[in-house]
């Protein structure tokens, strides 16, 4: 998770309860069946308004570290709320930005202000930091500065480079095990879903409305599997493929991100008058990889080597609103050897701060714990080199990002079978060119969630597509949240199709700015899933 979300100020945090020892078998996989949720005390909401979200309130909730031991050690979840104002009240709408590792506190304010006012007014929009994240306690930070520049080149074209990257991955896993041995066995999607039900209980709601982006779609689907009778409405935007959690999902991402990066380079070629890098996409691609080769030898500004360059340009695969800025930095370096814009782009899009360190710690903890990963590095190496031949853009960067799972200090569970025939109608949104959660995942979830409806953004490549400026998509969302209406198609994969918004224009153009809502949303969703 490469999180760039704005930090919410003023969230109230309650100290964790008495510490008790973790059970001796805590590192072993645990079953996904639901445990009873202990009755929760009422929440005490306090003002934590921001300039953008003046009605935002915050609270905190203690939940068991181990839900099978409700009177054992307690941890704290940070919550946020925009309260309903209409006479018609439809209950809490819990929102999650994904990750795993993403903070959802500010997302509550964004969703409440971005939905039509008459729709938002009927819900208490609830944000939360999942266990381990942000203002929840304890918040994980396994190895501060793990992504400080300049890292080894992600491309392991010599044994020394490969060993340097392996040492980094193992050191991160070891640090997590040393600092959080008693916590890591409980940082996973099933426990986060049990937390969701504790939030529901604390809110005094018999049923929950849920709206998740990205990884948040998997969290929502797992919650619905555990408690189908407690789901009132369920919106999943940019859907995690339920059949490939998590090793295969990352391999599938590699192919999709390569396609999306090439779409970005083709866009630069299309706007050769602005960037002067050539009108042939293959020529532009060759120039980008030449830049990568040069930076591997001499990092820009002492900060942006080959790995940092990949970090910087990966967000363009999530959101095309970044393309004009990334293109400017590329052109300045390629044509004039000007490193300033490239360093600025890295600091804006690629560099991690303390919240990013926390997000990555939770990302690895959840992914490594949720499902089995290969423990034999030879399997990672073979799979990555095979993919590199087809899709060189982010294969190795992504492999090293997830490589701590080869050394993770806990056991792994089994992915939850989210197939569900007991839910009310569920609304799914998916872009055909989404790289982080490829289109096939949305189709698979549509098949597994009986009575769901799938709205497709045809020709879209962004990740997180509702409340981002596409009125067609947002009308379906508003109708569903108003009265449960979902589209019903004529038998194809999609129940409704919306056309994607046009790609952005270069910065020199009057049309350069993209949807402000889109930019805000993608700042909250962060990167990596």
């Amino acid at each position: 998770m490469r999180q760039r979300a704005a930090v919410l100020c003023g969230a109230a945090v309650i100290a964790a309860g008495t510490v008790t020892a973790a059970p001796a078998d805590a590192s072993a996989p645990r079953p996904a069946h639901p445990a009873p949720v202990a009755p929760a005390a009422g929440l005490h909401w306090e003002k934590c308004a921001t300039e953008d979200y003046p009605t935002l309130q915050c609270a905190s909730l203690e939940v068991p570290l181990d839900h099978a031991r409700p009177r054992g050690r307690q941890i704290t979840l940070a919550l946020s709320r925009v309260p309903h104002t209409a006479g018609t009240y439809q209950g809490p709408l819990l929102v999650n930005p994904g990750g795993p590792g993403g903070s959802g506190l500010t997302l509550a304010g964004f969703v409440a202000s971005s939905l039509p006012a008459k729709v938002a007014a009927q819900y208490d929009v609830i944000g939360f930091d999942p266990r381990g994240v942000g203002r929840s306690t304890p918040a994980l930070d396994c190895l501060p500065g793990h992504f400080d520049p300049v890292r080894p080149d992600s491309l392991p074209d010599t044994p020394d480079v490969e060993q340097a990257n392996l040492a980094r991955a193992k050191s991160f896993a070891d640090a997590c095990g040393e600092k959080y041995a008693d916590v890591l066995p409980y940082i996973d999607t099933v426990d986060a879903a049990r937390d969701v039900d504790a939030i529901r209980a604390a809110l005094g709601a018999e049923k929950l409305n849920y709206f998740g982006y990205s990884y948040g779609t998997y969290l929502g689907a797992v919650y619905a599997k555990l408690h189908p009778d407690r789901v009132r409405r369920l919106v999943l935007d940019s859907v995690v493929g339920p059949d490939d959690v998590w090793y295969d999902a990352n391999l599938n991402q590699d192919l999709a991100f390569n396609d999306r990066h090439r779409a970005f380079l083709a866009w630069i070629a299309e706007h050769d008058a602005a960037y002067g890098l050539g009108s042939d996409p293959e020529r532009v691609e060759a120039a980008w990889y030449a830049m990568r080769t040069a930076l591997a030898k001499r990092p820009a500004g002492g900060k942006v080597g080959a790995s940092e360059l990949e970090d910087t340009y990966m967000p363009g695969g999530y959101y095309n609103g970044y393309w004009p800025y990334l293109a400017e930095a590329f052109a300045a370096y390629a044509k004039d050897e000007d490193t300033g814009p490239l360093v600025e782009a890295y600091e804006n899009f690629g560099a991690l701060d303390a919240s990013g360190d926390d997000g990555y710690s939770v990302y690895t903890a959840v992914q490594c714990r949720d499902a089995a990963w290969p423990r034999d590095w030879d399997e990672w190496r073979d799979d990555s080199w095979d993919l590199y031949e087809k899709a060189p853009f982010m294969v190795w960067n992504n492999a090293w990002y997830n490589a701590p799972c080869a050394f993770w200090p806990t056991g792994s569970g089994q992915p939850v079978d989210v197939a569900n025939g007991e839910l009310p109608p569920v609304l799914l949104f998916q872009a055909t060119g989404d790289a982080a959660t490829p289109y096939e995942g949305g189709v698979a979830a549509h098949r597994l969630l009986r009575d769901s409806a799938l709205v497709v953004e045809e020709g879209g490549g962004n990740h997180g597509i509702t409340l981002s400026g596409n009125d067609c998509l947002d009308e379906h969302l508003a109708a569903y949240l108003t009265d449960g209406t979902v589209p019903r198609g004529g038998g194809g994969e999609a129940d409704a199709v919306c056309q994607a918004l046009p790609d952005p224009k270069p910065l020199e153009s009057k049309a350069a700015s993209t949807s402000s809502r889109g930019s805000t949303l993608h700042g909250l969703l962060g990167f990596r899933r």
Side-chain angles (χ1 to χ4, degrees):
M1 180 70 201
R2 194 141 298 164
Q3 185 70 17
R4 310 233 85 71
V7 176
L8 180 66
C9 297
V13 176
I14 298 176
T18 304
V19 175
T20 61
D25 62 348
S27 65
R30 291 175 293 119
H33 60 75
V37 175
L43 296 168
H44 176 65
W45 294 100
E46 297 181 349
K47 292 182 180 179
C48 58
T50 67
E51 183 177 350
D52 292 329
Y53 309 119
T55 62
L56 203 63
Q57 302 172 349
C58 292
S60 56
L61 173 67
E62 287 192 347
V63 298
L65 174 65
D66 180 359
H67 282 279
R69 304 176 69 200
R71 291 179 178 83
R73 177 180 175 181
Q74 303 293 297
I75 60 175
T76 303
L77 304 179
L79 310 180
S80 64
R81 177 178 75 168
V82 177
H84 74 283
T85 56
T88 300
Y89 177 53
Q90 299 206 48
L93 175 62
L94 197 69
V95 298
N96 181 272
S103 169
L105 297 178
T106 305
L107 184 65
F110 172 82
V111 169
S113 64
S114 299
L115 286 169
K118 64 181 180 180
V119 177
Q122 298 178 34
Y123 291 91
D124 287 340
V125 183
I126 307 293
F128 69 109
D129 279 355
R131 55 176 53 207
V133 175
R135 294 188 178 268
S136 293
T137 56
L140 305 190
D141 190 350
C142 295
L143 191 59
H146 181 65
F147 285 95
D148 286 353
V150 173
R151 308 197 310 275
D153 190 339
S154 65
L155 184 64
D157 53 2
T158 70
D160 287 346
V161 173
E162 181 178 42
Q163 288 304 312
N165 280 295
L166 277 172
R168 288 187 71 256
K170 188 175 186 304
S171 68
F172 187 87
D174 289 347
C176 286
E178 290 171 6
K179 291 179 73 172
Y180 304 111
D182 56 342
V183 174
L184 291 182
Y186 307 100
I187 306 294
D188 55 40
T189 300
V190 169
D191 281 303
R194 290 171 178 154
D195 291 345
V196 167
D197 203 54
I199 295 171
R200 176 203 58 78
L203 294 169
E206 292 186 5
K207 294 191 175 186
L208 193 66
N209 306 286
Y210 180 92
F211 179 11
Y213 289 95
S214 193
Y215 162 79
T217 66
Y218 183 62
L219 176 59
V222 170
Y223 177 75
K225 184 70 172 186
L226 300 184
H227 300 294
D229 58 323
R230 298 174 188 173
V231 175
R232 182 174 179 269
R233 293 198 179 128
L234 183 63
V235 182
L236 307 179
D237 182 331
S238 303
V239 184
V240 168
D243 299 327
D244 56 6
V245 173
W246 291 111
Y247 181 73
D248 288 342
N250 281 278
L251 297 179
N252 292 336
Q253 275 188 333
D254 294 339
L255 294 167
F257 267 101
N258 199 74
D259 289 342
R260 196 66 184 144
H261 185 59
R262 283 178 168 164
F264 162 63
L265 298 174
W267 177 86
I268 292 176
E270 180 183 345
H271 295 285
D272 182 46
Y275 302 115
L277 293 171
S279 58
D280 179 358
E282 291 187 2
R283 176 181 169 185
V284 175
E285 184 173 8
W288 193 90
Y289 282 100
M291 175 174 65
R292 187 197 185 285
T293 298
L295 292 171
K297 298 175 181 177
R298 185 180 180 184
K303 287 186 176 181
V304 186
S307 294
E308 290 74 26
L309 180 74
E310 292 163 345
D311 297 345
T312 303
Y313 281 80
M314 197 175 297
Y318 286 82
Y319 178 50
N320 62 6
Y322 302 139
W323 286 5
Y325 305 95
L326 296 173
E328 291 269 324
F330 175 18
Y333 182 88
K335 292 194 303 180
D336 302 322
E337 297 185 356
D338 181 358
T339 61
L342 194 59
V343 171
E344 182 180 2
Y346 165 71
E347 291 172 346
N348 288 336
F349 300 119
L352 266 71
D353 55 14
S355 67
D357 286 337
D358 165 56
Y360 178 65
S361 297
V362 176
Y363 171 94
T364 50
V366 172
Q367 294 235 326
C368 301
R369 177 70 176 154
D370 268 2
W373 291 71
R375 295 286 179 155
D376 181 353
W377 182 251
D378 288 344
E379 184 174 345
W380 293 69
R381 180 192 295 113
D382 291 345
D383 288 342
S384 296
W385 278 122
D386 286 347
L387 271 176
Y388 180 80
E389 295 302 317
K390 308 171 190 173
F393 170 55
M394 70 166 274
V395 167
W396 279 108
N397 188 295
N398 204 24
W400 298 123
Y401 197 84
N402 291 282
C405 291
F407 310 100
W408 203 245
T410 74
S412 298
Q414 295 293 325
V416 176
D417 178 3
V418 300
N420 206 323
E422 303 178 46
L423 296 172
V426 174
L427 187 59
L428 313 177
F429 292 92
Q430 191 70 40
T432 55
D434 184 351
T437 53
Y439 175 74
E440 293 76 13
V443 173
H446 184 28
R447 182 182 70 251
L448 292 173
L449 300 175
R450 193 178 70 192
D451 208 28
S452 63
L454 175 62
V455 179
V456 169
E457 187 181 51
E458 183 67 38
N462 289 341
H463 178 66
I465 54 176
T466 57
L467 304 183
S468 192
N470 189 320
D471 291 340
C472 174
L473 298 171
D474 292 350
E475 287 170 5
H476 288 292
L477 175 63
Y480 179 67
L481 292 178
T482 297
D483 58 17
T485 298
V486 296
R488 293 300 181 192
E493 289 179 341
D495 294 282
V497 175
C498 296
Q499 295 303 309
L501 298 175
D503 285 332
K505 300 295 183 183
L507 294 177
E508 293 85 357
S509 167
K510 294 180 181 180
S513 63
T514 57
S515 164
S516 60
R517 278 201 293 145
S519 298
T520 301
L521 173 64
H522 287 84
L524 295 174
L525 298 187
F527 313 127
R528 286 288 184 184
R529 182 172 285 104

